[in-house]
Every structure is written in structure tokens, then in C-alpha cells.
Amino acid sequence: MGLFTEETWRLLRGAELVGEIRIDEADFPWLSGAFVPGPAWPELAPGFAECRRLAEAEEWEAWERAYDPLEAACALHSPDGPVAEFLLHVEPPRAWFRFSEEPFEE
């Protein structure tokens, strides 16, 4: 297995578990894996679905307006703790993301 595979990353909203991502593919900078919904998922699921729809339609300004509140509400945690910045797509049963230990450049 490669770097990152077989890790479990957690998406949290405060102390609430939104979901776990069990990494099974690493095509750096993108990591992907099985998404296991947590108790906070149902409340955030419509926002992630809207982001996927907008991304597929390449409506990037609308996507950014839809994604920003999700990113602000959540923290992505590697096995070592939270990462500084991330770009996450969730389309159950899969999720894929990229991350940075430093904030992304604008």
C-alpha cells in the first residue's frame, strides 16, 4: 500500500462527526476513498450535492458561493489532526479531496 492509503480521515463540524473517509486511492494531490456518513451528514448532504451539481455544470462562481459555507462549517482531520485547508467533494459512497498544511493561495 502507498502513502495515505488505509488511513481514515474525519470530517467534523465542531465536535460532530460529518463523516469518515477511508482512503483507498492516492493520486496526489487528490486522495479518495469510501465515505461513511456520520450523525451530522444529513444536515450537510444537500449542500454537498448542490456543489457537485454546480461543479459538473462548471458554474464556478455559484459553486464557490455554495462551497464556502460548507468549508467554513467543517474541519478535515487527518490521522495526525486537522489540516489547514482542503477542497472536498462528497458523492456517497465516495469522497475525494486535496489538502494543504498551509492555507491555499488566493
Side-chain angles (χ1 to χ4, degrees):
M1 284 285 141
L3 188 62
F4 299 112
T5 56
E6 296 189 6
E7 290 183 350
T8 297
W9 289 52
R10 301 177 77 211
L11 184 64
L12 300 174
R13 181 178 64 183
E16 293 180 282
L17 180 64
V18 177
E20 291 183 339
I21 305 164
R22 297 181 180 155
I23 307 301
D24 56 26
E25 284 184 46
D27 185 12
F28 207 75
W30 292 95
L31 302 178
S32 63
F35 180 75
V36 180
W41 172 248
E43 194 173 328
L44 297 174
F48 278 99
E50 178 65 2
C51 286
R52 286 296 309 139
R53 186 190 70 75
L54 293 167
E56 288 170 359
E58 297 184 8
E59 296 179 23
W60 301 117
E61 287 182 23
W63 174 87
E64 197 167 319
R65 286 191 304 274
Y67 184 77
D68 285 349
L70 293 172
E71 182 182 32
C74 296
L76 184 63
H77 290 248
S78 77
D80 297 325
V83 297
E85 192 95 31
F86 61 93
L87 175 58
L88 171 68
H89 302 282
V90 181
E91 190 170 11
R94 301 288 296 168
W96 58 102
F97 63 94
R98 59 189 297 171
F99 73 97
S100 176
E101 298 297 340
E102 302 293 328
F104 291 149
E105 292 182 21
E106 291 296 321

